[in-house]
Amino acid sequence: MAQNSTYHHGDLRAACLRAARELLEEDGSAGLSLRAVARRAGVSATAPYRHYADREALVSAVAAEGYRELAEHLATAHPVPSTPDDLAAVAVAYVRFALEHPALFRAMFAEPCDPTSEERVAATAAISEYVRGIVRDAFPGVEDTDALATTVWALVHGLAFLHLDGKLDTSTPEVVADRVRASVFALFAVAPALREAIAAR
Amino acid sequence: MAQNSTYHHGDLRAACLRAARELLEEDGSAGLSLRAVARRAGVSATAPYRHYADREALVSAVAAEGYRELAEHLATAHPVPSTPDDLAAVAVAYVRFALEHPALFRAMFAEPCDPTSEERVAATAAISEYVRGIVRDAFPGVEDTDALATTVWALVHGLAFLHLDGKLDTSTPEVVADRVRASVFALFAVAPALREAIAAR
DNA sequence: TGTACATCAGTGAACGCGCGTTCACTGATGTAC
DNA sequence: TGTACATCAGTGAACGCGCGTTCACTGATGTAC
């Protein structure tokens, strides 16, 4: 029984989210069905409709929660990163999050998402703002902070997906962390040269 | 009728691949069902089983074809890239491929893939070897070519996905191309400094 | 060139499944007096 | 404090769907003599 005192007139909305998360963590793949969530929450198949308009709404809520957790996870890795090492630590945390919650990460990013969910859009914006903030702090001299932030995000995001999809060795956490750090350092060392590089183009 | 003279005792195997590709191009999302492919190929629902062991096998074949096409597309963008501009052009081509064939690209990467399909593994290896080759040619002085190649691939791959998932503006091809170029240049300018950066860590 | 036969690539009915969603309902909770 | 009633969060039967896969089959093609 996943049942607890919080529902049968309680917080089924939250219980659904929790059930969905459990399913994602366990299954690792698969696509989160409303019925499976209801089953897991110990409730009839149609009960979730009291709280979510449809399947999409549930998935978006789960994804949004994932974004919030990711942000938290990154902040935990380093509250106010300001050196290459700090940023590398955050990057490692990003990739680790993806590898530890593969199904959730896919739900957040890989799924063809509906762009109308404001909850989801807001959560995404928060992440990207967070990355921008780090880059701004770490590179006060750089003019186009947005461009550099995008580059950093893309690099880390790409590393996450390539590892997730088995294109890069993930046999130990160390091997992954080393690779992520090496990639970030490559980018970092060049940051001051960014403007010239773009200008010279 | 997608039907042509190549089957009803012809090349249904290829016809299935073609049908699958058409479905991916049209639908944009969704997950490629065997039945839909058969329908599109103008053939009974069970006919594809003569050529593919199961749904997985078909999807893997489609993905493998996608890898080959991607490689071709990149090679077309620039046969033997050897300057930052060349590499940037290839990067732009990579991202453009993803945006022009979103469903195919997702089938290639985002789907939780079975690692046992040698066709798929081989195709992946070919891509990564291709990237390594470019990096090797463009940076003869760099020692750890593999590390740099991974960084480049991850950066470009991440850009592809962030655009694909609506996290970055894709309103015009130019805006996308400019962003990709800027990101690649950031990386490029730093390449000679890579070893020092890693050593200094 | 013609016949007999094996092979091979299709057919189509059938299976059991899980899904999203609707609907009329029920029974517990909260509220007004 | 007690009763009457509205609201609200669940139930469970039912719908129609598309799916992957099996099976026994058929009929065209290719081969041996």
Side-chain angles (χ1 to χ4, degrees):
Chain A
M1 297 294 116
Q3 202 147 341
N4 66 25
S5 63
T6 62
Y7 63 86
H8 208 287
H9 288 239
D11 198 356
L12 182 53
R13 178 174 182 90
C16 282
L17 276 181
R18 213 178 321 125
R21 283 297 309 272
E22 286 171 20
L23 290 171
L24 286 179
E25 298 300 331
E26 285 166 21
D27 189 338
S29 76
L32 207 37
S33 87
L34 249 184
R35 289 183 97 111
V37 167
R39 224 178 289 129
R40 179 50 153 265
V43 114
S44 77
T46 64
Y49 282 94
R50 294 290 142 196
H51 304 277
Y52 299 95
D54 52 21
R55 188 187 163 281
E56 261 285 322
L58 208 214
V59 173
S60 280
V62 170
E65 206 194 49
Y67 286 118
R68 267 175 255 121
E69 265 175 57
L70 172 56
E72 213 173 287
H73 184 71
L74 297 184
T76 300
H78 209 291
V80 192
S82 59
T83 69
D85 280 298
D86 294 350
L87 189 104
V90 173
V92 170
Y94 191 101
V95 175
R96 194 188 314 128
F97 183 88
L99 292 177
E100 279 171 2
H101 313 283
L104 175 62
F105 196 77
R106 287 213 152 89
M108 290 161 60
F109 289 106
E111 226 165 275
C113 77
D114 98 280
T116 61
S117 157
E118 336 98 40
E119 196 182 9
R120 200 160 171 161
V121 169
T124 291
I127 290 276
S128 113
E129 183 47 50
Y130 174 80
V131 175
R132 245 200 310 276
I134 292 183
V135 170
R136 202 184 300 120
D137 292 352
F139 300 99
V142 172
E143 269 172 27
D144 196 346
T145 299
D146 281 13
L148 184 57
T150 297
T151 304
V152 170
W153 191 15
L155 170 59
V156 176
H157 193 66
L159 284 167
F161 262 114
L162 290 180
H163 282 100
L164 207 52
D165 291 327
K167 303 322 190 227
L168 297 172
D169 177 27
T170 56
S171 50
T172 74
E174 288 76 28
V175 119
V176 174
D178 284 347
R179 185 162 30 230
V180 173
R181 267 191 291 266
S183 285
V184 170
F185 279 116
L187 233 196
F188 247 102
V190 76
L194 177 60
R195 274 160 303 161
E196 302 154 37
I198 293 175
R201 154 165 64 107
Chain B
M1 296 290 116
Q3 202 148 342
N4 66 26
S5 63
T6 63
Y7 63 87
H8 204 290
H9 287 242
D11 198 355
L12 181 54
R13 177 175 184 91
C16 284
L17 277 181
R18 215 179 319 126
R21 281 298 308 274
E22 286 172 20
L23 290 171
L24 286 179
E25 297 302 329
E26 285 166 23
D27 189 337
S29 77
L32 208 37
S33 87
L34 249 184
R35 289 182 96 110
V37 167
R39 225 178 289 130
R40 179 50 153 269
V43 116
S44 78
T46 63
Y49 281 94
R50 293 290 143 196
H51 304 277
Y52 299 95
D54 52 22
R55 188 188 162 279
E56 259 285 321
L58 208 214
V59 174
S60 280
V62 170
E65 206 195 48
Y67 285 119
R68 267 176 255 121
E69 266 174 56
L70 172 57
E72 212 174 287
H73 184 71
L74 298 184
T76 300
H78 209 291
V80 192
S82 61
T83 70
D85 279 298
D86 295 349
L87 190 104
V90 173
V92 169
Y94 190 101
V95 175
R96 194 188 315 130
F97 184 88
L99 293 177
E100 279 172 1
H101 313 284
L104 175 62
F105 196 78
R106 286 212 152 89
M108 289 160 60
F109 289 106
E111 225 167 274
C113 78
D114 99 281
T116 61
S117 156
E118 335 99 40
E119 197 183 7
R120 200 159 170 161
V121 168
T124 290
I127 290 277
S128 112
E129 182 48 50
Y130 173 82
V131 174
R132 245 200 312 276
I134 292 183
V135 170
R136 201 184 301 121
D137 291 352
F139 301 99
V142 172
E143 269 173 28
D144 196 346
T145 300
D146 281 13
L148 184 55
T150 298
T151 303
V152 170
W153 190 14
L155 171 59
V156 176
H157 193 67
L159 284 168
F161 262 114
L162 290 180
H163 282 99
L164 207 52
D165 291 328
K167 304 321 191 228
L168 297 172
D169 177 27
T170 55
S171 50
T172 74
E174 287 76 28
V175 120
V176 174
D178 284 347
R179 186 162 29 229
V180 173
R181 266 191 291 267
S183 285
V184 170
F185 279 117
L187 233 194
F188 247 104
V190 76
L194 177 60
R195 275 159 303 162
E196 301 155 38
I198 293 175
R201 154 166 63 106

Short mmCIF file of all heavy atoms in Angstrom, two decimals, chain A residues 102-130:
data_model
loop_
_atom_site.label_atom_id
_atom_site.label_comp_id
_atom_site.label_asym_id
_atom_site.label_seq_id
_atom_site.Cartn_x
_atom_site.Cartn_y
_atom_site.Cartn_z
N PRO A 102 17.55 9.06 -14.54
CA PRO A 102 17.48 9.08 -16.01
C PRO A 102 16.07 9.30 -16.55
O PRO A 102 15.87 10.10 -17.46
CB PRO A 102 18.04 7.72 -16.42
CG PRO A 102 17.99 6.87 -15.19
CD PRO A 102 18.09 7.79 -14.03
N ALA A 103 15.12 8.59 -16.00
CA ALA A 103 13.76 8.69 -16.53
C ALA A 103 13.19 10.08 -16.27
O ALA A 103 12.53 10.67 -17.13
CB ALA A 103 12.87 7.62 -15.92
N LEU A 104 13.44 10.60 -15.10
CA LEU A 104 12.97 11.96 -14.78
C LEU A 104 13.61 12.97 -15.71
O LEU A 104 12.95 13.85 -16.26
CB LEU A 104 13.30 12.29 -13.32
CG LEU A 104 12.98 13.72 -12.87
CD1 LEU A 104 11.50 14.01 -12.98
CD2 LEU A 104 13.48 13.97 -11.46
N PHE A 105 14.91 12.81 -15.89
CA PHE A 105 15.65 13.75 -16.75
C PHE A 105 15.09 13.72 -18.17
O PHE A 105 14.93 14.75 -18.81
CB PHE A 105 17.13 13.39 -16.74
CG PHE A 105 18.03 14.48 -17.25
CD1 PHE A 105 18.34 15.57 -16.46
CD2 PHE A 105 18.55 14.42 -18.53
CE1 PHE A 105 19.17 16.59 -16.93
CE2 PHE A 105 19.38 15.42 -19.01
CZ PHE A 105 19.69 16.51 -18.21
N ARG A 106 14.77 12.54 -18.62
CA ARG A 106 14.19 12.42 -19.96
C ARG A 106 12.83 13.08 -20.02
O ARG A 106 12.48 13.73 -21.00
CB ARG A 106 14.06 10.95 -20.36
CG ARG A 106 15.38 10.30 -20.68
CD ARG A 106 15.18 9.24 -21.77
NE ARG A 106 16.39 9.10 -22.54
CZ ARG A 106 17.37 8.24 -22.24
NH1 ARG A 106 17.25 7.47 -21.18
NH2 ARG A 106 18.44 8.18 -22.99
N ALA A 107 12.04 12.87 -18.97
CA ALA A 107 10.72 13.50 -18.94
C ALA A 107 10.86 15.01 -18.98
O ALA A 107 10.06 15.72 -19.60
CB ALA A 107 9.97 13.07 -17.68
N MET A 108 11.91 15.51 -18.33
CA MET A 108 12.12 16.95 -18.29
C MET A 108 12.55 17.51 -19.63
O MET A 108 12.14 18.60 -20.02
CB MET A 108 13.21 17.28 -17.25
CG MET A 108 12.78 17.07 -15.82
SD MET A 108 14.20 16.92 -14.70
CE MET A 108 15.01 18.50 -14.91
N PHE A 109 13.38 16.76 -20.33
CA PHE A 109 13.97 17.33 -21.53
C PHE A 109 13.61 16.61 -22.82
O PHE A 109 13.20 17.24 -23.79
CB PHE A 109 15.50 17.36 -21.40
CG PHE A 109 15.97 18.39 -20.42
CD1 PHE A 109 16.46 18.00 -19.19
CD2 PHE A 109 15.92 19.73 -20.73
CE1 PHE A 109 16.90 18.96 -18.27
CE2 PHE A 109 16.35 20.69 -19.82
CZ PHE A 109 16.85 20.30 -18.59
N ALA A 110 13.78 15.33 -22.83
CA ALA A 110 13.71 14.63 -24.11
C ALA A 110 12.29 14.54 -24.65
O ALA A 110 12.09 14.54 -25.85
CB ALA A 110 14.29 13.23 -23.97
N GLU A 111 11.34 14.48 -23.75
CA GLU A 111 9.98 14.31 -24.26
C GLU A 111 9.54 15.55 -25.03
O GLU A 111 9.76 16.67 -24.62
CB GLU A 111 9.02 14.06 -23.09
CG GLU A 111 8.08 12.91 -23.38
CD GLU A 111 7.38 12.44 -22.11
OE1 GLU A 111 7.96 11.61 -21.40
OE2 GLU A 111 6.27 12.92 -21.87
N PRO A 112 8.92 15.29 -26.15
CA PRO A 112 8.36 16.41 -26.90
C PRO A 112 7.35 17.09 -25.99
O PRO A 112 6.25 16.61 -25.79
CB PRO A 112 7.67 15.74 -28.09
CG PRO A 112 7.77 14.27 -27.91
CD PRO A 112 8.70 14.00 -26.80
N CYS A 113 7.73 18.21 -25.42
CA CYS A 113 6.89 18.80 -24.39
C CYS A 113 5.95 19.86 -24.96
O CYS A 113 6.24 20.49 -25.96
CB CYS A 113 7.75 19.42 -23.30
SG CYS A 113 8.46 21.00 -23.78
N ASP A 114 4.85 20.00 -24.30
CA ASP A 114 3.95 21.05 -24.74
C ASP A 114 4.45 22.36 -24.14
O ASP A 114 4.79 22.44 -22.96
CB ASP A 114 2.52 20.75 -24.28
CG ASP A 114 2.16 21.49 -23.02
OD1 ASP A 114 2.58 21.01 -21.95
OD2 ASP A 114 1.49 22.52 -23.10
N PRO A 115 4.56 23.37 -24.96
CA PRO A 115 5.17 24.63 -24.53
C PRO A 115 4.18 25.51 -23.77
O PRO A 115 4.51 26.60 -23.35
CB PRO A 115 5.56 25.29 -25.85
CG PRO A 115 4.78 24.58 -26.91
CD PRO A 115 4.08 23.41 -26.32
N THR A 116 2.96 25.01 -23.59
CA THR A 116 1.93 25.86 -22.98
C THR A 116 1.88 25.74 -21.46
O THR A 116 1.21 26.52 -20.81
CB THR A 116 0.55 25.51 -23.55
OG1 THR A 116 0.27 24.15 -23.24
CG2 THR A 116 0.51 25.72 -25.06
N SER A 117 2.59 24.76 -20.93
CA SER A 117 2.57 24.62 -19.48
C SER A 117 3.43 25.69 -18.82
O SER A 117 4.65 25.65 -18.88
CB SER A 117 3.09 23.23 -19.09
OG SER A 117 3.58 23.24 -17.78
N GLU A 118 2.77 26.65 -18.20
CA GLU A 118 3.57 27.76 -17.63
C GLU A 118 4.45 27.25 -16.50
O GLU A 118 5.54 27.73 -16.28
CB GLU A 118 2.72 28.91 -17.09
CG GLU A 118 1.36 29.07 -17.66
CD GLU A 118 0.31 28.44 -16.75
OE1 GLU A 118 0.43 28.58 -15.52
OE2 GLU A 118 -0.62 27.81 -17.30
N GLU A 119 3.94 26.25 -15.79
CA GLU A 119 4.74 25.72 -14.69
C GLU A 119 6.09 25.24 -15.25
O GLU A 119 7.15 25.49 -14.69
CB GLU A 119 4.00 24.56 -14.02
CG GLU A 119 4.56 24.20 -12.66
CD GLU A 119 3.84 23.01 -12.04
OE1 GLU A 119 3.02 22.37 -12.74
OE2 GLU A 119 4.13 22.69 -10.88
N ARG A 120 5.97 24.56 -16.38
CA ARG A 120 7.16 24.01 -16.98
C ARG A 120 8.08 25.09 -17.55
O ARG A 120 9.30 25.06 -17.36
CB ARG A 120 6.72 23.07 -18.12
CG ARG A 120 7.75 22.10 -18.52
CD ARG A 120 7.10 20.94 -19.24
NE ARG A 120 8.09 20.08 -19.84
CZ ARG A 120 7.87 18.83 -20.21
NH1 ARG A 120 6.69 18.30 -20.02
NH2 ARG A 120 8.81 18.13 -20.75
N VAL A 121 7.48 26.02 -18.22
CA VAL A 121 8.26 27.13 -18.79
C VAL A 121 8.98 27.88 -17.68
O VAL A 121 10.17 28.20 -17.79
CB VAL A 121 7.34 28.09 -19.58
CG1 VAL A 121 8.08 29.37 -19.92
CG2 VAL A 121 6.82 27.41 -20.84
N ALA A 122 8.27 28.16 -16.62
CA ALA A 122 8.86 28.90 -15.50
C ALA A 122 10.04 28.15 -14.91
O ALA A 122 11.10 28.72 -14.64
CB ALA A 122 7.80 29.14 -14.43
N ALA A 123 9.88 26.84 -14.75
CA ALA A 123 10.94 26.03 -14.16
C ALA A 123 12.17 26.02 -15.05
O ALA A 123 13.31 26.11 -14.58
CB ALA A 123 10.44 24.62 -13.92
N THR A 124 11.94 25.92 -16.34
CA THR A 124 13.05 25.97 -17.29
C THR A 124 13.77 27.30 -17.21
O THR A 124 15.00 27.37 -17.16
CB THR A 124 12.53 25.80 -18.74
OG1 THR A 124 12.06 24.48 -18.90
CG2 THR A 124 13.63 26.07 -19.72
N ALA A 125 13.00 28.36 -17.20
CA ALA A 125 13.58 29.70 -17.14
C ALA A 125 14.44 29.84 -15.88
O ALA A 125 15.51 30.46 -15.92
CB ALA A 125 12.48 30.75 -17.16
N ALA A 126 13.98 29.25 -14.80
CA ALA A 126 14.72 29.34 -13.54
C ALA A 126 16.11 28.71 -13.69
O ALA A 126 17.11 29.27 -13.26
CB ALA A 126 13.95 28.68 -12.42
N ILE A 127 16.13 27.53 -14.31
CA ILE A 127 17.41 26.86 -14.52
C ILE A 127 18.33 27.72 -15.36
O ILE A 127 19.50 27.95 -15.01
CB ILE A 127 17.22 25.51 -15.28
CG1 ILE A 127 16.53 24.50 -14.41
CG2 ILE A 127 18.57 24.98 -15.76
CD1 ILE A 127 17.42 23.74 -13.49
N SER A 128 17.82 28.23 -16.45
CA SER A 128 18.68 28.97 -17.36
C SER A 128 19.15 30.27 -16.68
O SER A 128 20.28 30.71 -16.88
CB SER A 128 17.95 29.21 -18.68
OG SER A 128 17.68 30.56 -18.89
N GLU A 129 18.30 30.84 -15.86
CA GLU A 129 18.68 32.04 -15.10
C GLU A 129 19.79 31.70 -14.10
O GLU A 129 20.74 32.46 -13.90
CB GLU A 129 17.46 32.61 -14.38
CG GLU A 129 17.74 33.91 -13.64
CD GLU A 129 18.51 34.91 -14.48
OE1 GLU A 129 18.10 35.18 -15.64
OE2 GLU A 129 19.54 35.40 -14.01
N TYR A 130 19.66 30.53 -13.52
CA TYR A 130 20.66 30.07 -12.55
C TYR A 130 22.04 29.95 -13.21
O TYR A 130 23.04 30.43 -12.69
CB TYR A 130 20.23 28.73 -11.97
CG TYR A 130 21.24 28.07 -11.06
CD1 TYR A 130 21.38 28.46 -9.73
CD2 TYR A 130 22.06 27.05 -11.55
CE1 TYR A 130 22.31 27.86 -8.91
CE2 TYR A 130 22.99 26.43 -10.73
CZ TYR A 130 23.12 26.84 -9.42
OH TYR A 130 24.04 26.24 -8.60
#
